[in-house]
Amino acid sequence: MNKKNILNEYKKKIKEYKRFSEAYYVESNPIINDSEFDKIKQNLIELEKKYHFLNDKASPSNAVGYKPSKNFNKIPHRAPMLSLANAFSEEDLENFEKKIKNYLNKKDDFKIEYSAEPKIDGISASLIFKNGKFIKGLSRGDGKEGEDITENLRTIKDIPHSITNDNFPREIDIRGEVFIQNNDFKKINNKFANPRNAASGSLRQKDPKETKKIPLKFIAYTYGYESGMNIDNQNDFLKYLHIWGFKTNPYNKIIHGTKNLMRNYKEIEKKRDEINLDIDGIVYKVNDFKLQKRLGYVANAPRWAVAHKFSANSGTSKIINIEIQIGRTGALTPVAKIKPINIGGVVVSNATLHNEEEILRKDIRIDDIALIERAGDVIPHVISVDLKQRGKDSKKFEFPKKCPSCGAKTIKDFNTITKKEDAVRRCSSEGYECEKVAIEKIKHFVSKEAFNIEGLGKKIVENFWNLNLIKLPQDIFKLDFNKIENLEGWGKQSIINLKYSINLRKNISFERFIYALGIRHIGLENAKLIAKNLKSIKNFL
Ligand code: IVH
């Protein structure tokens, strides 16, 4: 497919996605079910990853929800309403905690205290209070600006209009979830498929009198902008919310360590049917506000919180082969090639095995029958293998001690903080010595958040590398276009386009440049910090 066809195909999908989003977020009356909707989102994101020239304001990679509806005034949030990263397994939780400890430079035995709160599947709202008065209420919108739904929110009995406690902050945005209890949903005979859609629909009625007819509830759980707040941790904040007159979730708990988080998760998942409101997981937040501040944010989610989602989809299939992929940092990632199976409506033929340690720990072998999980938008992964179904002549999987691409020794780093070997094995070559690493580094160099060179997609980078046109990032700026012109699939216009997009990036921001180098541990946020502190390339060098 040429660029024009890909673009047309993409635009068509975006249009379709916009229609479904509007039905979901604005009309609260989805045309398709949640998993189909997720599939369409994922498909668009994958297309954008593959073809870097694809981008659209309405793409799910740019927007958290849907742009506010025209029925209501749009108002910017004083602090953005962010989303949460997802966790689906105990392992995800361990990684979440590990990252926190590494980030805070803490040893393994450091105990982190969490506020564990059921994740209510409703509609989030931000309530602006000034001098104890509820003055405005906004929907989440796209996370940056929301709709002014003040009058509709005023009809909800759980929302206090005036708070007189001495310790109530001068100014604060109280945030929480608007929802309908399951028993109330059964009583109201209406056109909505589930309580979430019904809550969303009634909250967006043009006429607040219509909203008032529906028994909406509000549970508070966090804050946005604040001034004059003197509280040290989430647990105290939740207690104060109660004192100030808000409803909080009776199942909120303080928990230490991932083992106990798991125990609580299982308990609540069992009780899910008894609870009178829809919950779709548990949110864990680092309890201490000082630690939260230190941890800060990545992209549009906090580093100090995660949503542990309920009931993932899974299925069993045979592992046909274990392949090793090499990333730009030299990390060797094993991938299980499995006999294709349909999990929750998606055909799965690859499942990540994460790293060497994981294969050893779970003793995963070729020809094993494995339990595969696919949850949300994450890459499917192998949960376990069935030892009972293993053949007599099955052999342990030998992880390559030499890089399959360049033959260099593979090594595991020693982490001086945790005093443990890394779980990841890497190719020990340096810089651009290893072919696979070099190609991946160049792909990263031109990617959206780095040099953002449109028209230099992954396949083209690989192709140019094989043709000796690009061996190092700097080669991009002295490409031999005469040679490219003679390649199949390249015409005059595509050459003009490529030249144009390369020229466009001869000047880029310092932070993008640092990020583009692909130094291990230097992601977007760190690149920003370094750029801000060093100020110039001269200092950087
Ligand atoms: S905290 C930056 N706490 O989950 C963290 N969110 O994907 C902000 N939610 O938009 C959210 N229960 O609608 C938080 N106890 C809880 C929650 C909760 C439900 C929803 C909320 C948010 C979404 C995040």
Side-chain angles (χ1 to χ4, degrees):
M1 242 200 306
N2 65 25
K3 192 169 168 181
K4 207 169 143 205
N5 288 347
I6 295 166
L7 195 67
N8 281 343
E9 199 55 30
Y10 174 76
K11 290 278 177 221
K12 225 163 75 195
K13 286 192 172 152
I14 286 278
K15 209 170 142 197
E16 202 181 52
Y17 170 73
K18 267 164 89 171
R19 204 161 60 82
F20 294 143
S21 295
E22 195 155 19
Y24 184 85
Y25 292 114
V26 182
E27 290 153 18
S28 312
N29 194 7
I31 309 170
I32 51 172
N33 69 32
D34 285 7
S35 82
E36 282 172 304
F37 188 53
D38 281 347
K39 236 182 347 191
I40 292 172
K41 276 201 271 191
Q42 187 57 18
N43 185 255
L44 282 168
I45 293 170
E46 267 158 23
L47 271 177
E48 287 164 12
K49 272 194 201 148
K50 193 161 160 200
Y51 305 108
H52 287 268
F53 59 88
L54 298 177
N55 189 13
D56 194 291
K57 270 209 308 286
S59 155
S61 54
N62 288 329
V64 178
Y66 194 75
K67 71 170 187 319
S69 120
K70 292 190 192 80
N71 283 345
F72 302 97
N73 277 335
K74 282 181 253 171
I75 296 186
H77 291 294
R78 295 193 289 184
M81 286 184 86
L82 302 168
S83 57
L84 292 171
N86 287 331
F88 298 98
S89 62
E90 184 162 5
E91 196 167 353
D92 290 349
L93 285 190
E94 278 162 7
N95 284 334
F96 164 70
E97 186 167 90
K98 213 188 268 172
K99 276 194 199 141
I100 291 180
K101 285 183 185 168
N102 278 345
Y103 196 88
L104 296 174
N105 229 333
K106 299 283 188 200
K107 298 229 172 68
D108 250 3
D109 56 1
F110 179 73
K111 285 263 171 299
I112 302 179
E113 194 170 69
Y114 297 101
S115 173
E117 308 166 14
K119 185 170 183 297
I120 306 159
D121 194 10
I123 305 298
S124 48
S126 184
L127 316 174
I128 304 172
F129 283 86
K130 277 192 185 156
N131 300 318
K133 295 272 176 299
F134 171 46
I135 59 154
K136 219 163 239 341
L138 308 180
S139 71
R140 176 182 189 165
D142 63 2
K144 293 190 192 88
E145 51 181 22
E147 298 151 322
D148 181 351
I149 48 167
T150 314
E151 294 315 314
N152 293 0
L153 288 167
R154 275 194 207 284
T155 67
I156 301 176
K157 290 203 186 73
D158 291 344
I159 297 179
H161 294 183
S162 155
I163 297 165
T164 50
N165 297 67
D166 286 345
N167 54 5
F168 189 66
R170 260 188 322 282
E171 281 196 38
I172 188 163
D173 305 343
I174 299 288
R175 290 177 176 173
E177 209 78 359
V178 176
F179 62 97
I180 297 185
Q181 283 179 338
N182 291 339
N183 61 339
D184 288 332
F185 175 69
K186 278 188 201 131
K187 272 187 246 157
I188 52 170
N189 175 21
N190 67 28
K191 54 187 189 292
F192 296 109
N194 57 45
R196 183 197 175 273
N197 297 340
S200 166
S202 18
L203 202 52
R204 288 158 164 282
Q205 298 285 343
K206 264 194 240 167
D207 181 359
K209 283 198 207 90
E210 289 302 310
T211 309
K212 204 172 176 180
K213 289 184 191 159
I214 314 283
L216 291 174
K217 299 269 186 288
F218 181 80
I219 277 191
Y221 49 66
T222 193
Y223 60 91
Y225 174 85
E226 59 82 13
S227 143
M229 186 169 87
N230 192 11
I231 297 174
D232 297 332
N233 61 59
Q234 172 71 6
N235 193 238
D236 287 351
F237 177 72
L238 290 171
K239 281 185 194 150
Y240 275 116
L241 279 173
H242 186 72
I243 294 170
W244 297 332
F246 292 96
K247 295 262 162 35
T248 52
N249 198 314
Y251 293 95
N252 291 342
K253 273 189 203 111
I254 281 288
I255 294 177
H256 296 89
T258 50
K259 285 271 168 301
N260 293 323
L261 289 181
M262 269 323 279
R263 203 167 298 145
N264 175 62
Y265 172 86
K266 284 179 188 152
E267 249 169 50
I268 296 202
E269 192 173 31
K270 261 194 237 141
K271 280 198 209 138
R272 216 173 148 186
D273 293 338
E274 299 165 27
I275 300 176
N276 197 9
L277 52 112
D278 270 358
I279 55 175
D280 57 351
I282 317 268
V283 180
Y284 307 131
K285 304 171 183 170
V286 170
N287 191 37
D288 186 338
F289 283 166
K290 265 203 216 100
L291 292 184
Q292 286 190 4
K293 290 218 169 72
R294 270 179 67 191
L295 287 160
Y297 300 84
V298 255
N300 62 356
R303 234 183 236 111
W304 44 264
V306 75
H308 192 184
K309 297 296 254 320
F310 286 141
S311 65
N313 286 322
S314 59
T316 52
S317 180
K318 185 173 176 158
I319 299 179
I320 303 165
N321 196 10
I322 296 178
E323 290 182 3
I324 306 289
Q325 292 177 350
I326 302 161
R328 69 178 162 84
T329 60
L332 306 187
T333 307
V335 177
K337 296 277 156 188
I338 58 166
K339 198 164 156 242
I341 43 157
N342 188 315
I343 306 181
V346 175
V347 177
V348 177
S349 48
N350 292 318
T352 178
L353 297 167
H354 301 292
N355 52 49
E356 181 181 13
E357 196 180 275
E358 165 112 343
I359 295 195
L360 280 176
R361 191 163 42 83
K362 295 184 176 168
D363 187 17
I364 296 166
R365 306 178 183 191
I366 295 171
D367 287 341
D368 272 351
I369 302 296
L371 180 65
I372 318 279
E373 186 177 76
R374 184 195 77 88
D377 296 342
V378 296
I379 306 168
H381 61 274
V382 174
I383 301 272
S384 59
V385 290
D386 188 350
L387 297 177
K388 285 195 214 100
Q389 293 197 58
R390 183 176 275 171
K392 272 194 223 88
D393 38 357
S394 141
K395 281 194 203 80
K396 247 195 155 48
F397 180 75
E398 283 286 333
F399 210 85
K401 298 288 175 300
K402 283 195 172 151
C403 170
S405 164
C406 69
K409 239 179 38 196
T410 59
I411 47 166
K412 281 180 162 191
D413 285 348
F414 185 75
N415 187 323
T416 48
I417 296 167
T418 59
K419 301 263 178 283
K420 272 193 211 141
E421 241 187 6
D422 234 4
V424 179
R425 187 174 277 281
R426 290 172 203 277
C427 165
S428 63
S429 68
E430 284 187 10
Y432 290 76
E433 287 168 5
C434 172
E435 172 175 338
K436 281 276 180 325
V437 172
I439 295 174
E440 293 308 312
K441 272 184 188 273
I442 296 165
K443 285 181 193 168
H444 171 77
F445 188 84
V446 299
S447 67
K448 209 166 180 167
E449 268 109 9
F451 269 68
N452 190 16
I453 300 182
E454 281 188 23
L456 255 192
K458 291 184 178 171
K459 282 274 163 292
I460 298 177
V461 168
E462 279 168 23
N463 197 13
F464 284 7
W465 204 91
N466 289 330
L467 295 166
N468 287 327
L469 283 159
I470 298 177
K471 288 283 167 183
L472 295 167
Q474 54 267 44
D475 298 339
I476 294 165
F477 300 98
K478 41 182 194 208
L479 270 176
D480 182 351
F481 286 101
N482 292 330
K483 208 167 161 186
I484 298 173
E485 211 173 54
N486 295 321
L487 298 176
E488 210 188 287
W490 286 88
K492 283 221 156 41
Q493 191 55 45
S494 43
I495 299 273
I496 292 172
N497 291 349
L498 182 60
K499 266 189 197 163
Y500 175 79
S501 45
I502 292 174
N503 276 333
L504 213 58
R505 304 291 180 243
K506 285 193 171 160
N507 265 309
I508 63 157
S509 70
F510 188 25
E511 61 191 50
R512 272 181 185 268
F513 176 76
I514 296 172
Y515 173 71
L517 296 178
I519 305 165
R520 239 172 99 195
H521 307 304
I522 311 297
L524 277 174
E525 296 302 321
N526 279 338
K528 274 186 202 157
L529 286 176
I530 294 173
K532 206 169 145 194
N533 276 280
L534 291 183
K535 296 192 177 67
S536 76
I537 185 89
K538 215 168 123 199
N539 294 337
F540 180 75
L541 292 174

